[in-house]
């Protein structure tokens, strides 16, 4: 096996004298000098870092070079690694064929080349077949910035930056998103919304100008990377054309392979642009419709809602010991009532289990590296310390929580993103007076599918199922409640089929707040079952009912069988309409109207923020419904 790239042998001087001013601790007598720098043609794929204000740029670069050498040395999965050469230059040094670094606007340069020999996966028992790859590293210091082109992984660099967080920092995300203006050609997006079947976890969009393609439905997606046709203001600028930026990684990729002189010019141009952007107000957002990563906790305030993520929503969500799953299940079985602060991201969560309050937790996000974690402590003495402690421990650092703020921010995946809340209201929202019916009771208070079907609409039944029976009093009304249901009810009148999904309100209070969580389950169920509304499938399903006596009415009169309903289904044609109705009385008209007025007046409240989230959920569901059938209507309370 080849010897390691670097060793701790004494430093040596280069015979031509060009490196006489170099810190000798960075040199290695066993490694040949990397000559012919002017002939190198690296791709301009770089990470740009900014020196910490308290750090000395020269000393910080010294530490960076040591890190790069250490990171390049390990063999890893390769059969062998051999360093072909390296060089470290100070600002007074010359690059043969190019000139002095100081004249190029460069204060320091490190370059190394290494050879990696790996066995191809297909080689099997053949041991003498190797893939040979040659990798180049170039790191340049330009004042307080460094530009790095290297095979060292983003993850390794990130860990080093977190460990030595007083040396360098990534560029602010807004700087990379806005400094390089031009028509967006491709964007890579990740969702910051609650994961659901009706919306993608991530997506990639391409087009002539992506800024014109994005709409309000994309406000819950954050930008991972964007390819832009960059048009510089300076007509003589070298960097132009297709440029890809990855804000979270502080990375730029210019698709052209260039010689080292051009690489240096591109690097100094990039640094000058970034330095200028940092010195003025943040540049305008090019993709303003998207969620924006937040870096300042001072901008985050008013926590008002919280949901629990599924373990497989997390990045790298392998859970071999089931620990994440167990914690998530405990949190889903608990309740966390958020009491936010109007001027702070911190909040109190009243927590409970099995309907009983067990204590209160003080929760606040704190900066950790380039993200955020939750600091969770008891707020006063809990009434059930054992259970409260279990819930606190299940929350951990927050990787399972998604927290919504009145400021428009969302905490998720240990990041905080600002969602665009300018989307239009959900159009098909209706309100009705449920009268004597109990808005928080979905079905009759009996157990078992047959018992529920038998009890619907009896004298002592004031459930929402009874309200449906009383409201849809013409045509056929069939209850399909139970395991594997198409919907809670199917209504058929004049050829129009309506699938009715019912869910009880979370509270009977006349002042109950808007709550997105009240709608998530019933919306997901309605969307999931859309394919089951195919007329042929319904005929087959109800020809042989799942239970002996399914509840069914014709013009309000109880029926003993479904043969007439099946006959009515058979005569439907493709010209007949199919609709979906969601009955969820949790949303009150007065609360809705006040929230809408606050949003329109530019004075957002907790309810207006929640209503914006609910609008987004329902618009997304409606878009899915009308891709199959005719329309979606949601019914709330007067």
């Amino acid at each position: 096996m080849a010897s390691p790239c670097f060793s701790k042998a004494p430093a040596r001087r280069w015979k031509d004298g060009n490196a006489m001013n170099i810190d000798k601790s960075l040199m290695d007598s066993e490694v040949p000098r990397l000559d012919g720098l002017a002939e190198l043609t690296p791709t301009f794929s770089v990470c740009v870092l900014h020196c910490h204000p308290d750090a000395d740029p020269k000393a910080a670069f010294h530490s960076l070079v040591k890190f790069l050498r250490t990171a390049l040395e390990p063999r890893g999965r390769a059969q062998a690694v051999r360093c072909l050469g390296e060089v470290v230059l100070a600002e007074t040094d010359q690059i043969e064929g190019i000139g002095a670094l100081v004249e190029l606007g460069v204060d320091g340069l490190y370059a190394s080349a290494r050879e990696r020999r790996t066995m191809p996966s297909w080689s099997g028992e053949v041991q003498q077949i190797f893939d040979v790859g040659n990798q180049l590293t170039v790191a340049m210091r330009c004042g307080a910035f460094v530009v790095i082109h290297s095979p060292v992984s983003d993850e390794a660099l990130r860990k080093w930056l977190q460990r030595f967080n007083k040396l360098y920092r990534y560029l602010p995300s807004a700087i990379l998103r806005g400094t390089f203006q031009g028509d967006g050609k491709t964007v890579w997006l990740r969702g910051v919304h609650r994961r659901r079947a009706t919306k993608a976890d991530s997506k990639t969009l391409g087009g002539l100008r992506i800024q014109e393609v994005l709409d309000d439905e994309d406000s819950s997606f954050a930008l991972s990377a964007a390819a832009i046709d960059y048009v510089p203001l300076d007509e003589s600028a070298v960097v132009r054309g297709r440029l890809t930026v990855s804000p979270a990684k502080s990375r730029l990729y210019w698709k052209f392979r260039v010689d080292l002189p051009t690489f240096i010019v591109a690097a100094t141009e990039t640094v000058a642009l970034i330095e200028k952007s940092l010195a003025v107000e943040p540049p305008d957002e090019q993709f303003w419709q998207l969620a924006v990563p937040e870096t300042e906790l001072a901008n985050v305030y008013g926590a008002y809602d919280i949901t629990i993520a599924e373990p497989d929503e997390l990045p790298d969500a392998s859970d071999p010991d089931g620990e994440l799953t167990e914690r998530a299940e405990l949190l889903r079985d608990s309740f966390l009532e958020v009491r936010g602060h109007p001027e702070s991201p911190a909040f109190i969560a009243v927590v409970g289990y099995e309907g009983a309050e067990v204590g209160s937790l003080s929760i606040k996000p704190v900066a950790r590296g380039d993200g955020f974690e939750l600091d969770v402590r008891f707020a006063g003495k809990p009434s059930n310390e054992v259970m409260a402690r279990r819930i606190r421990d299940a929350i951990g650092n927050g990787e399972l929580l998604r927290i919504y703020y009145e400021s428009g921010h969302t905490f998720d995946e240990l990041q905080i993103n600002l969602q665009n809340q300018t989307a239009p209201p959900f159009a098909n929202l209706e309100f009705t007076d449920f009268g004597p019916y109990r808005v928080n009771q979905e079905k009759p208070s009996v157990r078992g599918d047959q018992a529920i079907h038998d009890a619907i609409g009896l004298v002592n039944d004031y459930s929402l199922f009874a309200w449906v029976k009383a409201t849809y009093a013409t045509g056929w009304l069939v209850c399909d409640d139970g395991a594997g249901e198409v919907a809670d009810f199917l209504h058929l009148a004049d050829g129009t089929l309506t699938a009715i999904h019912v869910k009880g309100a979370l509270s009977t209070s006349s002042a109950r707040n808007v709550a997105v969580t009240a709608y998530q389950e019933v919306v997901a169920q309605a969307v999931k079952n859309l394919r089951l509304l195919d007329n042929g499938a319904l005929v087959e399903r109800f020809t042989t009912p799942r239970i002996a006596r399914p509840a069914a009415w014709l013009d309000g009169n109880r029926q003993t069988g479904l043969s007439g309903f099946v006959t009515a289904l058979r005569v439907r044609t493709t010209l007949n309409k199919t609709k979906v109705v969601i009955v969820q009385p949790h949303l009150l008209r007065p609360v809705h109207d006040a929230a809408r007025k606050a949003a329109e007046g530019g004075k957002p409240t907790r309810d207006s923020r929640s209503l914006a989230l609910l609008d987004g959920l329902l618009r997304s569901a409606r878009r899915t419904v009308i891709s199959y059938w005719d329309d979606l209507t949601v019914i709330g309370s007067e």
Side-chain angles (χ1 to χ4, degrees), residues 335-347:
F335 69 78
L336 292 86
E337 180 182 329
V338 177
R339 297 178 181 175
H341 191 285
E343 298 179 354
S344 169
F347 61 94

Side-chain angles (χ1 to χ4, degrees), residues 486-503:
V486 173
D488 291 308
F489 292 89
L490 292 172
H491 178 246
L492 180 58
D494 299 325
T496 296
L497 179 72
T498 303
I500 305 168
H501 298 265
V502 182
K503 191 69 175 177

Side-chain angles (χ1 to χ4, degrees), residues 198-231:
T198 56
K199 200 159 191 175
D201 295 336
S202 62
K203 58 182 179 180
T204 301
L205 299 175
L208 294 176
R209 179 174 166 81
I210 296 300
Q211 289 92 329
E212 307 300 328
V213 175
L214 298 171
D215 57 30
D216 65 278
E217 298 296 338
D218 297 306
S219 65
S220 65
F221 288 89
L223 182 72
S224 293
I228 300 162
D229 269 359
Y230 170 56
V231 181

Side-chain angles (χ1 to χ4, degrees), residues 2 5 80-84 113-117 132-135:
C5 284
V81 175
R82 181 167 65 96
C83 189
L84 303 175
R114 67 171 179 170
E115 176 191 274
R116 289 178 58 88
R117 292 161 56 89
V132 179
N134 293 283
Q135 299 174 326

